[in-house]
Amino acid sequence: MPLPWMSRADRRRWKSARTVLDLGWLMALWLEGEIASRPGYQPRFGPDEETAHLVPTLAALCRAGYVTTQSQPGLTGTGVDGLWWEQRAAVELVVTDAGLFHRLVDAAHAAGLIVRINDHRRDGGAQEQPVVVTTRDGEPVTAFGGRISRADMAVQWPGLDRGLYGQVAHGTYVSIVAPEYGTAGERLWVVLDFLTGLRREDPANPWARSAD
């Protein structure tokens, strides 16, 4: 299935990926602006401006064997519509390696973060409910987690090698969400940086700094 308006070179790169590690590496390059387009996203567009400061964290996750699919920072404030918006820091990713899965979930639970698991493996079983991550004047707007339908999976991952598509379509999708709305929830990214090695200090330490 061709990807409309994606360059031929980009189509070839995504089609050439054979493993989840390959896919994660390409996703990291897209996050960093080295690839113009990615599957399932508006062609020739990079990450949203509000997530620019998350790129190092997300790219490190992708290179560590996870593949991020969506994310947002923790924010609060008045929107362009004049209403009050509150947003939790959150990330969703797909993982196919059991060891990496347990490392992620254990780190999230230890930090008091919210975890939602939707296991699409053929022998999987966990199908957890989504959690609200954005509200508008107190009303839910968006949520992370929840089962992804077969049709939505095809929209999310068009143009991949068939074997790789089978891996990500039957992988485990994990959503990690800060319990706090606003910037206090940005601690989520510190936890993830510690997981991937971007930070060497304990994320429980409020004075933790990025590694050189």
Side-chain angles (χ1 to χ4, degrees):
M1 174 179 173
L3 305 180
W5 306 111
M6 184 184 283
S7 73
R8 189 172 298 175
D10 283 353
R11 285 201 300 271
R12 283 198 299 266
R13 293 186 83 167
W14 292 104
K15 187 71 174 179
S16 71
R18 292 292 184 272
T19 68
V20 172
L21 285 174
D22 292 340
L23 183 61
W25 189 265
L26 292 175
M27 190 69 77
L29 292 178
W30 172 78
L31 286 162
E32 295 165 342
E34 298 297 319
I35 299 178
S37 304
R38 57 156 280 194
Y41 199 79
Q42 188 171 357
R44 301 181 189 275
F45 275 80
D48 289 343
E49 185 176 340
E50 73 171 12
T51 62
H53 68 289
L54 308 182
V55 165
T57 296
L58 301 175
L61 284 166
C62 289
R63 291 191 171 104
Y66 306 96
V67 180
T68 62
T69 57
Q70 58 179 337
S71 62
Q72 66 177 39
L75 299 170
T76 59
T78 303
V80 294
D81 56 5
L83 299 178
W84 184 254
W85 289 74
E86 294 188 319
Q87 193 165 283
R88 286 168 162 161
V91 63
E92 180 190 79
L93 44 80
V94 59
V95 57
T96 58
D97 179 274
L100 291 177
F101 166 78
H102 288 296
R103 283 190 63 209
L104 173 69
V105 172
D106 289 349
H109 281 147
L113 301 170
I114 299 169
V115 178
R116 290 291 185 270
I117 298 167
N118 283 274
D119 195 341
H120 292 263
R121 290 181 302 166
R122 291 180 176 87
D123 60 347
Q127 299 298 332
E128 298 184 345
Q129 295 301 308
V131 58
V132 172
V133 295
T134 307
T135 63
R136 176 175 175 262
D137 267 11
E139 295 297 322
V141 175
T142 57
F144 274 35
R147 184 167 180 82
I148 305 170
S149 71
R150 184 176 300 179
D152 286 341
M153 196 75 76
V155 170
Q156 185 169 341
W157 299 113
L160 295 185
D161 169 77
R162 180 176 293 183
L164 178 56
Y165 177 81
Q167 293 179 59
V168 297
H170 295 96
T172 300
Y173 285 74
V174 183
S175 294
I176 310 293
V177 180
E180 313 93 341
Y181 284 93
T183 55
E186 290 283 276
R187 66 189 181 88
L188 165 64
W189 314 115
V190 178
V191 173
L192 296 177
D193 286 347
F194 186 71
L195 178 74
T196 60
L198 278 185
R199 298 176 188 253
R200 287 193 287 266
E201 296 85 355
D202 187 335
N205 177 358
W207 302 105
R209 296 176 298 172
S210 296
D212 293 335

